[in-house]
Amino acid sequence: MGFTGKVPLFREGHIVINDNQYTLPSFLIIGAQKAGTTSLYHYLIQHPQIEPAIVKEVHYFDEQWRNGVEWYQSHFPYLKFTESITGEATPYYLFHPQAPKRVYHMLPDVKLIILLRNPIDRAYSHYQMMVRRGIENLSFEEAVASELERTELIYLQMMADSNYHNGDLASYSYVRRGQYIEQIRRWLKWFSMDQMCFINSEELFTNPEQTYQKVTRFLGLPDVQLEQYEHLHEGGYDDKENEAIRHTLQQHFKPYNERLFEYLNVSYPW
C-alpha cells in the first residue's frame, strides 16, 4: 500500500522522481491550522499500518519548495514490500496559494484530510499562538483590524508568483484562514471530492474514536482500537476574547460558512 517507485510519466507536467528507492505519502493532513491536526496525526501514526514522517509538519509544498524533491523524499520511511503507508500533516497547505498545484504535480492520487474548526475559535487560537511565540504584540481586536494591511499585498503576490515567499502571511492571516470555502474550491481545481475527507474539529475533540475510525476507513485501513485518545495542543491560552469582536467575526464569517455548508452538504454548529 505504500507508494513506492517512480511517479508515473503518463500525466503531462508531473514531476519526475529519480531512481532512488523511496516512499512518498499516501495522505496529507492539509489543515486547518489550530483545528486539531496534531492530535489527529498522533492518533493516525499509532495505527500499525501507518508509519510517521520524520516530522509531523514537513512544509515542503509551502515554505520548503525550493529544497527539491529528494529533500522531501528524505522525510519518509522506505516502505516497499510492506502493507504500510505514510503521510504528513502541514496545516499551512490548505491556505497556501501555491500548495494545491504543487501537491497535484507530485502526488496526483494522494488522499487529503481537512479539519475545519469554528473560524472564530480558530482565529483566536491562532492569535494566542502568535502572542505566545513573541510574534504578535497587538491586541486581538487590533490584529484583526490590521490583517488586510499586513497581508493583502503579500497574498496577492504569492498568488501571482510561485517563487515569492513572505512569512507574514502565515503569521497574521487570522481571519482569512477561516474563509474555508475559498481554500477548498482552490484545492478542488486540482483534486476530486472523493480524494478529500472533511472533519468538523469539534467532532474530533468530543468523539476522537469515531473520527479516527472515519479517517482510517477513508485511507482504506482496517479498524484498530487505540488505548487512549489524548488531545494535543499548545496550551497556556486565555480563551476569553472580547465579546464585541466575536460578534463582529460572527457577522463576517456567516456568508462564508453558509456557502461552505451548502457546498459540502453539511451543517456545523458555528
Side-chain angles (χ1 to χ4, degrees), residues 25 27-33 36-42 44-45 52-62 72 76 86-94 113 115:
F27 71 90
L28 301 174
I29 301 177
I30 62 174
Q33 183 201 45
T37 60
T38 299
S39 293
L40 180 59
Y41 190 71
H42 175 70
L44 288 177
I45 62 176
I54 292 176
V55 293
K56 172 218 167 194
E57 299 184 24
V58 182
H59 281 287
Y60 177 65
F61 297 106
D62 49 36
Y72 189 55
F76 299 97
T86 189
E88 57 133 329
T90 303
Y92 192 22
Y93 290 163
L94 179 63
I113 301 163
L115 289 153

Side-chain angles (χ1 to χ4, degrees), residues 108-136:
D109 300 316
V110 73
K111 294 189 175 183
L112 304 169
I113 301 163
I114 303 169
L115 289 153
L116 301 175
R117 184 180 181 185
N118 183 316
I120 303 173
D121 297 334
R122 194 224 68 80
Y124 192 63
S125 183
H126 178 179
Y127 165 78
Q128 291 280 46
M129 180 176 69
M130 292 298 102
V131 171
R132 183 182 179 89
R133 293 180 178 179
I135 296 172
E136 181 61 85

Side-chain angles (χ1 to χ4, degrees), residues 49-79:
Q49 288 181 224
I50 296 181
E51 295 293 331
I54 292 176
V55 293
K56 172 218 167 194
E57 299 184 24
V58 182
H59 281 287
Y60 177 65
F61 297 106
D62 49 36
E63 298 175 346
Q64 304 297 334
W65 183 247
R66 294 182 181 181
N67 286 336
V69 174
E70 292 187 5
W71 180 90
Y72 189 55
Q73 291 173 219
S74 70
H75 286 74
F76 299 97
Y78 180 60
L79 298 176

Side-chain angles (χ1 to χ4, degrees), residues 104-173:
Y104 176 77
H105 285 309
M106 181 181 290
L107 304 170
D109 300 316
V110 73
K111 294 189 175 183
L112 304 169
I113 301 163
I114 303 169
L115 289 153
L116 301 175
R117 184 180 181 185
N118 183 316
I120 303 173
D121 297 334
R122 194 224 68 80
Y124 192 63
S125 183
H126 178 179
Y127 165 78
Q128 291 280 46
M129 180 176 69
M130 292 298 102
V131 171
R132 183 182 179 89
R133 293 180 178 179
I135 296 172
E136 181 61 85
N137 56 16
L138 300 179
S139 70
F140 184 51
E141 294 86 345
E142 292 170 335
V144 168
S146 302
E147 180 171 337
L148 280 179
E149 180 181 354
R150 284 169 149 182
T151 66
E152 182 67 11
L153 291 179
I154 297 172
Y155 183 82
L156 293 175
Q157 190 162 351
M158 288 178 70
M159 287 281 290
D161 183 356
S162 63
N163 293 315
Y164 180 72
H165 171 73
N166 188 316
D168 284 354
L169 181 65
S171 297
Y172 302 127
S173 51

